[in-house]
Amino acid sequence: MSVRFRKLALIGIGLIGSSIALAARRQELAETIAISTRKPETLEEARDLHLGDIYTLDAAEAVRGADLVILCTPVGAYESIVKAIAPALEPGAILSDVGSVKAHVVGVVSPHVPPGVHFIAGHPIAGTEHSGPSAGFPELFTGRWCVLTPEPEVDPDQTERLAAFWRAMGSIVEVMDATHHDMVLAITSHIPHLIAYNIVGTVADLEADTKSEVIKFSASGFRDFTRIAASDPVMWRDVFLTNRDAVLEMLGRFNEDLSVLQRAVRTGDGAALEAMFTRTRAIRRSIISAGQETAAPDFGRPHEAPLAIPAADRGGEG
Ligand code: NAP
C-alpha cells in the first residue's frame, strides 16, 4: 500500500500544520501540498517559509482534488470549516484532523462528511508551547504517539493508509475509541495544563513584591509550569470547552487526591507523603524508560560553571 498521497491539503498552518508540511515534504509523502488558513498574513508567512505548493484563503479550493485533507486549526473552528469544504471533498479522500479532543470532533464533523469520504479523526501527541507557521519542525512527531479514532464503519484499509502516513513521519500509531482517548488525555495532558494555568494565574494575582520574588527564584519548579502555561490560549480554551465531561471527571479525582495530601501535610503524616512521592518518582522513571522523556537532569538545561568573578568585584583582597 502506497504511503504517498497525490495532494495533501492542510487547513490551518500553525505549529502542527507546518510540522506536518515539513515532515511530509522531507519524507516525500505528497506530490502536492495545499495550504489554507484564515488570515492573509499567516498565509504569507507560510508562503515565505515555503511550506507548500498551493496557498489559498479558500479552504474549499485547497481540498479540491486532495486525497488527504487534515484539519489543523483549533477544534472550535472545525464545524464551520467542514461545512465549507464538504461539497469540494473528493470521493475516496481521507479527511482527518489533529485536534486534542476526539469525541466532540467526531460529533461535529461526521454529520457533514459526504458519502465516499473516509473520516478518520486523529491526534498526534506531540507539541511545544509555540504557535504559528514558523513554530513547526519536521522532527516534531519522531518517536511520539499518534492516536487515530475511526468510527466502527470506517474501512480498516483507509485507517491503515493514514497510520502509514503518520509512521512515515516518525510517529508510533495507536487506534482507540474517541471517548477513551478523551479520558486518557484529560488526565495526561488537559488537567496538567489546567493546573499550570492555575498556578501561574495565582502568581499573577499576588502582591507586587511577592510576585517579583517568585519570578526571581523561579528556577525552583514554578518555571516548568510557566512553559506549559504559555501554550496557545485559543487552542486550550477549545480543549476545555469540548472535553468538559472527561476533564470534570478527572478534576474530581484530582481534588480528592489533593485533599488527602493536604491532610497529610496538616497532620504531619510524613509516611503518607513519602509513600506518595516514591510512587510518583517511579512514574517519571517509567516515562523515561518508555523513551517519552529525557533522563538528563533538569530537562537537559545547560548548567555552565559560573564565570570567574573579576578581581575588582571580589572585594576584601587587599
Ligand atoms: P496554532 O499554532 O495556533 O495554529 C492554528 C492554525 O489554525 C493557524 O494557522 C491559524 O491561522 C489557523 N486558524 C485558526 N482559526 C481558524 C479558522 N477559523 N479557519 C481557518 N484557520 C484557522 O495551533 P496548533 O498548536 O498547530 O494547534 C492546531 C491543532 O492541533 C489544535 O486543534 C490542537 O488541539 C492540536 N494539537 C496541538 C498540539 C500542541 O501542542 N500545540 C498538540 C497536538 C495537537 P490564522 O493565523 O490564519 O488564524
Side-chain angles (χ1 to χ4, degrees):
M1 186 184 298
S2 169
V3 182
R4 199 168 155 85
F5 287 85
R6 202 174 56 247
K7 180 179 175 188
L8 163 65
L10 299 170
I11 313 301
I13 193 71
L15 167 70
I16 303 294
S18 60
S19 296
I20 295 176
L22 293 167
R25 169 72 19 104
R26 189 157 84 172
Q27 300 305 118
E28 301 183 352
L29 302 178
E31 281 167 38
T32 304
I33 300 177
I35 288 169
S36 179
T37 191
R38 180 179 50 170
K39 296 184 187 154
E41 59 270 29
T42 309
L43 197 65
E44 282 318 302
E45 197 182 337
R47 197 196 299 270
D48 291 346
L49 292 161
H50 306 289
L51 294 176
D53 307 294
I54 297 168
Y55 301 88
T56 171
L57 292 171
D58 180 351
E61 187 188 322
V63 309
R64 207 159 278 125
D67 46 356
L68 176 57
V69 175
I70 309 182
L71 308 181
C72 304
T73 69
V75 169
Y78 280 14
E79 190 166 14
S80 63
I81 292 172
V82 172
K83 280 185 188 164
I85 64 173
L89 287 169
E90 183 135 309
I94 294 178
L95 170 64
S96 188
D97 82 305
V98 294
S100 309
V101 301
K102 297 277 57 93
H104 169 88
V105 165
V106 171
V108 295
V109 172
S110 299
H112 305 289
V113 178
V117 171
H118 311 284
F119 172 51
I120 305 164
H123 177 204
I125 303 177
T128 73
E129 66 278 26
H130 297 293
S131 313
S134 58
F137 52 100
E139 303 81 13
L140 178 65
F141 310 113
T142 307
R144 298 282 165 233
W145 289 98
C146 178
V147 176
L148 301 181
T149 64
E151 291 294 275
E153 63 276 11
V154 171
D155 176 354
D157 287 349
Q158 301 300 328
T159 304
E160 176 46 35
R161 193 158 183 233
L162 183 61
F165 174 82
W166 279 104
R167 282 197 291 268
M169 291 195 293
S171 290
I172 321 155
V173 177
E174 179 125 340
V175 174
M176 69 171 76
D177 170 75
T179 308
H180 183 66
H181 164 279
D182 289 354
M183 200 55 96
V184 173
L185 268 291
I187 196 62
T188 56
S189 169
H190 306 168
I191 299 284
H193 275 78
L194 202 66
I195 293 166
Y197 282 125
N198 188 52
I199 196 163
V200 177
T202 302
V203 167
D205 293 341
L206 284 177
E207 296 297 324
D209 36 339
T210 320
K211 195 185 336 181
S212 68
E213 299 210 307
V214 173
I215 309 280
K216 183 168 149 196
F217 298 120
S218 68
S220 56
F222 177 71
R223 181 179 58 178
D224 295 333
F225 282 109
T226 62
R227 185 191 73 74
I228 299 178
S231 300
D232 190 72
V234 174
M235 170 194 152
W236 283 96
R237 176 201 68 192
D238 287 357
V239 166
F240 292 110
L241 291 178
T242 57
N243 196 22
R244 189 174 50 185
D245 292 349
V247 167
L248 290 178
E249 160 70 23
M250 289 301 172
L251 203 53
R253 292 182 190 218
F254 174 82
N255 280 330
E256 280 175 27
D257 292 342
L258 190 61
S259 301
V260 171
L261 273 181
Q262 187 178 3
R263 186 182 161 77
V265 171
R266 184 165 51 77
T267 59
D269 188 346
L273 293 172
E274 195 178 333
M276 169 70 161
F277 303 161
T278 305
R279 231 163 22 102
T280 55
R281 182 176 243 201
I283 289 179
R284 174 153 181 90
R285 288 186 177 149
S286 59
I287 292 171
I288 291 166
S289 355
Q292 296 294 309
E293 177 58 296
T294 173
D298 197 17
F299 301 102
R301 289 185 181 111
H303 288 272
E304 282 128 20
L307 295 172
I309 302 168
D313 295 342
R314 264 180 241 147
E317 282 202 344

